[in-house]
């Protein structure tokens, strides 16, 4: 039987064992001989493992559950969180009954899970964070899922997980054994776009290529401030607006993240230096250069003087009111703020632009590809039951042939009402959809060749953007999918992943203070409270206050991953 490679993110030093093949992730698992009576019951007695097989007797899955923040059942429906189309079809298809071991508000789910983990009182099936996963494995509280995964995971699920690379599965294995099924976070869902009002560009006489530089952005910001693009005879429009969360590990709404990456600066993530050693991106010279540019822009009045305290909602109001014509951040920013812009001014026109680095590449830091991890309490009967359910939902998440389209006619029904409240999507999910839509728009792909959900988007796109303004939310979503999506597909798009997403021992004690030091130092440099060379002081203090110890621990974990 093939094995899983040894590795996991841990706060404890472990003795390495030889790494073995990843075949278990890419081929069907073997079926063993006689059952090991010391292990939890797996499948029906004498059955051949079937990833979609139905139990002859009812099996109950007791799992932790969070209540979606918003949900609307179909009109006239008697559906509930415990009795709905999902649970009914699961019972019909698998003879599995879903029981909520607990229900917690979505905002309080992780806290609830951490309390259960610390009290050694977890339910049979549970999605947990990486840090809680580590504690559970160290405490010998969760089931070895190696055989269950090999025997019962569908080929699609195995392909989804293996598609994120060998290091991905290493995070949930220990001593050659698999202890969790990781949900996935596709790439390119948060790429950094600069959205600019193109009707304002025409008014100030600026033509921009789709790929712009920081000099281009500076020119636009200055023009929008000084040349009265809204035509009211007053200098009351903004250039660049940043919020109190102006730099993150990926990107944020109206942040300066794209300006940092335009300098090949990758703050708040771990990267390799020229010698292949792990370093913290916020401490590198490129970050100092980016801060220097932001400092110059702030001194010149191109950045709103109150940017360090502005909340994202205020920026959205300024855009809606026609006082701001630049929005930086998420690819899907139109759905968040630009819709009200055209609602209040139907003449408003927006388009996406790429802020590239001097080497011509567009760098986008990607989120942690690993979402929450499904674990099974040690000794729980039928651990493979949860894998069967994950198989089924993986089919839905990836629109496999014949996948069930539950609640497709009820857009108000939140997908999170399903029992498996995480997604298992291939890495290229977002990218693939953008490509399909562009192919349909160019005629390379026929409408009827699109998935049903894409057909609806394509039909809206064909109405024309001006016609869609009658429904600003539809206009914004199509702008995101087609204009934003086209930018994401640009070949200069370059993925940047952190070399480490876990938590080390020193991080637990020192990271909050280190992050505060970083954020305050960056802000003081930008607004001119400290000189640019104060950056060197920050780096020195960061290392002295624990950053050096953290870096050594991260290096050790990355080395162990090899």
């Amino acid at each position: 039987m093939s094995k899983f490679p040894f590795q996991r993110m841990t706060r404890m030093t472990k003795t390495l064992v030889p790494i073995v093949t990843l075949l278990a992730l890419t081929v069907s698992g073997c079926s063993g001989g006689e059952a090991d009576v010391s292990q939890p019951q797996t499948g029906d007695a004498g059955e051949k493992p079937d990833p979609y097989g139905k139990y002859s007797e009812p099996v109950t899955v007791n799992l932790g559950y969070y209540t979606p923040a918003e949900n609307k059942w179909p009109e006239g429906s008697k559906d509930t969180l415990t009795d709905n189309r999902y649970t009914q079809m699961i019972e019909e298809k698998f003879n599995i009954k879903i029981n909520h071991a607990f229900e917690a508000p979505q905002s309080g789910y992780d806290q609830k899970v951490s309390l259960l983990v610390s009290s050694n009182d977890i339910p049979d099936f549970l999605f947990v964070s990486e840090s809680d996963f580590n504690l559970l494995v160290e405490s010998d509280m969760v089931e070895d899922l190696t055989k269950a995964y090999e025997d019962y995971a569908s080929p699609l699920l195995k392909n989804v997980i293996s598609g994120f690379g060998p290091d991905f599965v290493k995070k949930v294995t220990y001593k050659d054994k698999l202890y969790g099924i990781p949900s996935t976070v596709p790439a390119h869902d948060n790429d950094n776009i600069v959205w600019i009002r193109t009707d304002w560009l025409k008014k100030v006489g600026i033509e921009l290529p789709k790929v712009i530089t920081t000099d281009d952005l500076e020119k636009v910001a200055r023009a929008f401030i000084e040349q009265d693009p809204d035509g009211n005879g007053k200098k009351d429009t903004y250039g660049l607006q940043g919020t109190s969360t102006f730099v993150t590990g990926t990107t944020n709404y109206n942040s300066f993240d794209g300006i940092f990456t335009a300098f090949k600066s990758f703050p708040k993530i771990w990267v390799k230096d020229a010698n292949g050693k792990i370093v913290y991106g916020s401490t590198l010279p490129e970050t100092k250069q980016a801060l220097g540019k932001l400092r110059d822009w702030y001194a010149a009045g191109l950045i709103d003087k109150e940017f360090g305290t502005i909340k994202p909602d205020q920026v959205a109001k300024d855009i809606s009111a026609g006082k701001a014509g630049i929005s930086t951040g998420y690819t899907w920013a139109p759905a968040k703020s630009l819709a009200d812009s055209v609602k209040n001014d139907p003449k408003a026109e927006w388009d996406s632009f790429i802020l590239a680095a001097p080497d011509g590449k567009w760098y986008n830091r990607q989120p942690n590809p690993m979402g929450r991890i499904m674990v099974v309490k040690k000794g729980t009967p039928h651990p493979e039951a949860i894998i069967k359910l994950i198989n089924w939902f993986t089919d839905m998440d990836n629109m496999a042939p014949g996948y069930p389209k539950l609640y497709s006619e009820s857009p108000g029904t939140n997908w999170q009402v399903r029992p498996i409240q995480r997604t298992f999507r291939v890495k290229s999910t977002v990218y693939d959809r953008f490509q399909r839509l562009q192919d349909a728009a160019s005629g390379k792909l026929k409408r009827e060749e699109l998935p049903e959900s894409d057909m609806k988007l394509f039909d809206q796109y064909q109405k024309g953007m001006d016609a869609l303004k009658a429904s600003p939310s539809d206009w914004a979503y199509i702008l995101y999918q087609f204009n934003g999506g086209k930018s994401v597909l640009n070949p200069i798009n370059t993925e940047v992943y952190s070399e480490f997403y876990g938590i080390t021992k020193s991080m637990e004690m020192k990271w909050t203070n280190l992050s505060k030091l970083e954020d305050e130092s960056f802000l003081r440099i930008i607004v001119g409270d400290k000189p640019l060379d104060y950056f060197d002081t920050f780096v020195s203090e960061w290392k002295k206050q624990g950053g050096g110890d953290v870096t050594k621990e991260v290096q050790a974990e990355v080395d162990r991953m090899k």
Side-chain angles (χ1 to χ4, degrees), residues 468-486:
L468 285 173
K469 287 181 179 179
S471 176
S473 61
D474 290 340
W475 169 87
Y477 197 72
I478 296 303
L479 185 71
Y480 151 52
Q481 289 287 339
F482 283 84
N483 294 48
K486 187 175 183 178

Side-chain angles (χ1 to χ4, degrees), residues 162-293:
S162 64
F164 284 84
D167 287 347
F168 186 73
V169 75
K170 290 178 184 179
K171 295 182 180 181
V172 291
T173 61
Y174 175 57
K175 290 185 178 179
D176 245 6
K177 296 179 181 179
L178 180 77
Y179 284 93
I181 311 298
S183 60
T184 65
V185 180
H188 299 297
D189 202 18
N190 293 309
D191 287 357
N192 196 290
I193 292 284
V194 180
W195 292 94
I196 301 177
R197 277 194 67 163
T198 52
D199 59 315
W200 280 16
L201 288 177
K202 292 178 181 178
K203 288 182 179 180
V204 300
I206 295 177
E207 292 186 10
L208 288 178
K210 290 293 289 183
V211 179
I212 63 174
T213 66
T214 53
D215 288 343
D216 292 324
L217 184 59
E218 178 179 338
K219 180 180 179 180
V220 172
R222 181 172 281 109
F224 282 2
I225 292 172
E226 298 177 352
Q227 297 184 33
D228 188 27
D230 64 347
N232 68 351
K234 302 176 182 179
K235 289 187 177 182
D236 58 353
T237 46
Y238 294 100
L240 291 168
Q241 291 179 292
T243 70
S244 53
T245 309
F246 60 91
V247 59
T248 71
T250 51
T251 190
N252 200 4
Y253 176 63
N254 260 75
S255 70
F256 294 151
D257 287 304
I259 296 165
F260 281 92
T261 55
F263 284 85
K264 296 184 70 173
S265 164
F266 309 119
K268 296 189 179 294
I269 68 171
W270 299 94
V271 297
K272 290 182 179 179
D273 65 13
N275 298 316
K277 295 296 184 181
I278 298 298
V279 290
Y280 188 52
S282 298
T283 65
L284 297 181
E286 292 83 358
T287 298
K288 183 178 182 179
Q289 293 174 359
L291 289 170
K293 175 62 71 173

Side-chain angles (χ1 to χ4, degrees), residues 5-10 129-131 133-134 137 164-174 177-180 182 367-371 373 497-502 561:
F6 166 72
Q7 193 47 263
R8 58 190 293 273
M9 295 300 182
T10 177
S129 66
E130 287 186 54
S131 58
F133 172 81
N134 290 335
V137 176
F164 284 84
D167 287 347
F168 186 73
V169 75
K170 290 178 184 179
K171 295 182 180 181
V172 291
T173 61
Y174 175 57
K177 296 179 181 179
L178 180 77
Y179 284 93
N368 185 351
M370 180 169 289
I373 304 162
Y497 282 94
S498 180
E499 296 292 330
F500 178 78
Y501 288 102
M561 286 290 289

Side-chain angles (χ1 to χ4, degrees), residues 102-116:
F102 70 82
E103 291 183 0
Q106 186 172 357
S107 59
Y109 176 84
D110 285 340
Q111 183 179 11
K112 172 71 173 179
V113 170
S114 293
L115 288 173
L116 292 173

Side-chain angles (χ1 to χ4, degrees), residues 84-156:
N84 53 61
R85 296 179 191 176
Y86 289 111
T87 62
Q88 292 161 12
M89 187 170 283
I90 286 171
E91 188 166 353
E92 177 184 347
K93 182 176 179 64
F94 297 104
N95 204 9
I96 293 175
K97 296 180 180 293
I98 300 296
N99 179 63
H100 293 172
F102 70 82
E103 291 183 0
Q106 186 172 357
S107 59
Y109 176 84
D110 285 340
Q111 183 179 11
K112 172 71 173 179
V113 170
S114 293
L115 288 173
L116 292 173
V117 171
S118 62
S119 62
N120 194 15
D121 186 29
I122 64 171
D124 295 340
F125 302 94
L126 186 66
F127 275 113
V128 300
S129 66
E130 287 186 54
S131 58
D132 282 332
F133 172 81
N134 290 335
L135 285 173
L136 288 167
V137 176
E138 289 167 2
S139 303
D140 195 27
M141 291 171 60
V142 289
E143 192 62 45
D144 171 10
L145 299 177
T146 308
K147 180 172 174 54
Y149 182 86
E150 290 179 345
D151 287 352
Y152 288 93
S154 68
L156 177 57

